[in-house]
Amino acid sequence: QVQLVESGGGLVQAGGSLRLSCAASGRTFGTYAMGWFRQAPGKEREFVAAISWTGGSTYYADSVKGRFTISRDNAKNTGYLQMINLKPDDTAVYYCAARLWGLRTQIHEYDYWGQGTQVTVSS
């Protein structure tokens, strides 16, 4: 069982940066792959980035590639999403999610979800 709590969201101007954090409970966080997803108003939740349980593999949606960086610190039971050069289209609620072992990009493949953190990018 893993419980996830996101933080770090906020209001930022276009071109700005934010770092989201995902704090996980449980002693076995290091065995869980982690993903970040987002949901904008009126839109479906979409994949943003994922990282393997070791941190050795990462994968990004094309829309964020080169601007977002996913990472994790298993010693701190925390995952991160560093976002730079933010655009108004990045405005959404951002969710972190976890699943055992393998990195995946589909929503239904993740077992545990946080409550989300709002990111708003003004133009």
Side-chain angles (χ1 to χ4, degrees):
Q1 189 80 10
V2 175
Q3 293 183 331
L4 306 171
V5 179
E6 303 96 334
S7 62
L11 173 63
V12 63
Q13 289 187 332
S17 302
L18 283 174
R19 188 177 80 157
L20 305 183
S21 298
C22 176
S25 65
R27 296 176 296 172
T28 59
F29 175 68
T31 60
Y32 286 79
M34 188 182 73
W36 285 94
F37 295 79
R38 66 186 181 186
Q39 187 165 17
K43 295 187 177 181
E44 295 185 350
R45 193 170 299 189
E46 64 176 4
F47 169 78
V48 174
I51 188 167
S52 63
W53 64 278
T54 64
S57 297
T58 57
Y59 191 79
Y60 297 91
D62 287 343
S63 60
V64 306
K65 204 172 293 183
R67 299 188 299 122
F68 291 11
T69 303
I70 189 171
S71 62
R72 65 190 297 159
D73 185 340
N74 287 343
K76 296 182 178 180
N77 279 7
T78 303
Y80 305 96
L81 185 69
Q82 177 69 50
M83 307 183 293
I84 66 171
N85 192 20
L86 283 161
K87 305 175 181 179
D89 284 349
D90 295 319
T91 295
V93 177
Y94 283 70
Y95 299 89
C96 68
R99 67 182 307 279
L100 271 174
W101 304 122
L103 184 159
R104 297 289 187 272
T105 65
Q106 301 299 309
I107 294 171
H108 71 271
E109 294 180 297
Y110 283 80
D111 302 308
Y112 305 100
W113 292 83
Q115 83 290 348
T117 185
Q118 177 71 47
V119 171
T120 302
V121 184
S122 63
S123 57

